[in-house]
């Protein structure tokens, strides 16, 4: 869990919520997708500070919500991202529970965004079944379950008028290219996460300009 003390000096501040994919397990801070996105926004002339991050490897929706409460973060942000759910799928948790807890996280994100849902965006869950780590496991089963969790997230985003960015195909296309994975063969390298940042760029720009 990190907070950037210099972010307040920028015109726009950014909060990134999630799990290992947001904290960037096994990669440098500069390689984190949200840090890369902030850099891309700055290149496009938007004065965005490096993101505050509330994320940790292994977190499910409920654990992220608990950590947000424990952080006592009362700030309001220009931009809020959410990427969560792979650990719900990995642990075999109920999709109905995910829906309820994900919906609550969208409400939490909305509070951080000062009530402006147009300043929030959600990234879809990456498909770890295509990673080297998953060799020997059922790629089809994992893909089906990831798709089901993502369908729930997308539906809840649509209900809440929150942007949904589908990065799952990018993670599937990484299969067979070890340079797109971190050293553990499960998480992603900065190379793959750069694609997520690029995919999110237009959505993030629109959010900041609304």
């Amino acid at each position: 869990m990190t907070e950037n003390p210099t972010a307040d000096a920028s015109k726009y501040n950014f909060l990134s919520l999630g799990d290992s994919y947001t904290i960037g397990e096994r990669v440098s801070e500069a390689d984190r997708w949200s840090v890369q996105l902030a850099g891309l926004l700055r290149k496009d002339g938007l004065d965005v500070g490096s993101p505050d991050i509330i994320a940790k490897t292994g977190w499910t929706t409920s654990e992220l919500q608990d950590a947000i409460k424990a952080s006592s973060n009362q700030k309001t942000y220009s931009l809020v991202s959410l990427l969560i759910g792979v650990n719900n799928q990995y642990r075999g948790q109920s999709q109905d529970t995910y829906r309820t807890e994900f919906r609550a996280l969208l409400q939490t994100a909305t509070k951080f965004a000062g009530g402006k849902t147009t300043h929030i965006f959600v990234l879809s869950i990456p498909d770890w079944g295509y990673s080297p780590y998953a060799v020997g496991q059922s790629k089809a089963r994992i893909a089906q379950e990831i798709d089901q969790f993502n369908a729930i997230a997308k539906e809840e985003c649509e209900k809440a008028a929150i942007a949904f960015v589908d990065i799952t195909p990018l993670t599937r296309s990484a299969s067979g290219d070890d340079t797109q994975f971190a050293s553990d063969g499960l998480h992603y390298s900065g190379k793959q996460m750069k694609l997520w940042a690029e995919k999110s760029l237009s959505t993030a720009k629109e959010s900041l300009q609304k």
Side-chain angles (χ1 to χ4, degrees):
M1 204 181 317
T2 65
E3 187 166 312
N4 177 14
T6 64
D8 288 339
S10 303
K11 179 177 180 181
Y12 301 112
N13 58 355
F14 178 14
L15 175 65
S16 197
L17 305 171
D19 50 34
S20 60
Y21 297 137
T22 295
I23 200 64
E25 179 72 16
R26 303 292 180 101
V27 302
S28 69
E29 182 176 337
D31 279 336
R32 294 169 177 169
W33 78 265
S34 53
V35 172
Q36 293 195 66
L37 174 59
L40 292 174
L41 288 165
R42 286 192 293 272
K43 281 184 180 178
D44 280 357
L46 293 164
D47 182 19
V48 180
S50 294
D52 287 350
I53 296 175
I54 302 178
K56 189 174 180 180
T57 298
W59 278 353
T60 60
T61 41
S62 63
E63 289 162 338
L64 173 58
Q65 189 73 277
D66 288 345
I68 291 169
K69 290 174 183 173
S71 76
S72 300
N73 187 336
Q74 300 296 317
K75 292 165 68 175
T76 299
Y77 291 86
S78 316
L79 189 65
V80 181
S81 70
L82 175 63
L83 167 51
I84 194 74
V86 70
N87 295 298
N88 297 69
Q89 180 275 329
Y90 185 79
R91 296 190 203 173
Q93 293 187 358
S94 157
Q95 292 178 19
D96 288 341
T97 298
Y98 175 72
R99 183 185 293 277
T100 300
E101 293 175 352
F102 183 82
R103 187 183 296 152
L105 282 167
L106 291 182
Q107 293 168 354
T108 297
T110 302
K111 290 178 184 175
F112 277 124
K116 300 174 182 176
T117 58
T118 54
H119 289 243
I120 307 165
F121 66 101
V122 169
L123 266 62
S124 68
I125 303 166
D127 189 344
W128 64 275
Y130 284 72
S131 69
Y133 177 89
V135 170
Q137 301 201 48
S138 173
K139 187 182 291 187
R141 176 189 61 80
I142 295 166
Q144 181 183 39
E145 292 177 1
I146 292 287
D147 285 346
Q148 289 167 346
F149 276 84
N150 276 328
I152 291 168
K154 184 177 182 181
E155 186 177 323
E156 291 302 319
C157 283
E158 287 173 351
K159 289 178 185 176
I162 288 171
F164 182 83
V165 179
D166 187 6
I167 62 165
T168 309
L170 294 173
T171 67
R172 289 171 176 159
S173 68
S175 180
D177 180 0
D178 288 345
T179 67
Q180 297 199 51
F181 293 93
S183 58
D184 61 3
L186 172 60
H187 296 96
Y188 297 95
S189 70
K191 181 178 178 180
Q192 168 66 202
M193 286 193 283
K194 182 182 179 185
L195 300 178
W196 306 357
E198 292 171 344
K199 179 84 171 179
S200 305
L201 181 59
S202 62
T203 300
K205 282 176 67 175
E206 287 174 17
S207 294
L208 291 174
Q209 292 168 343
K210 286 179 179 176

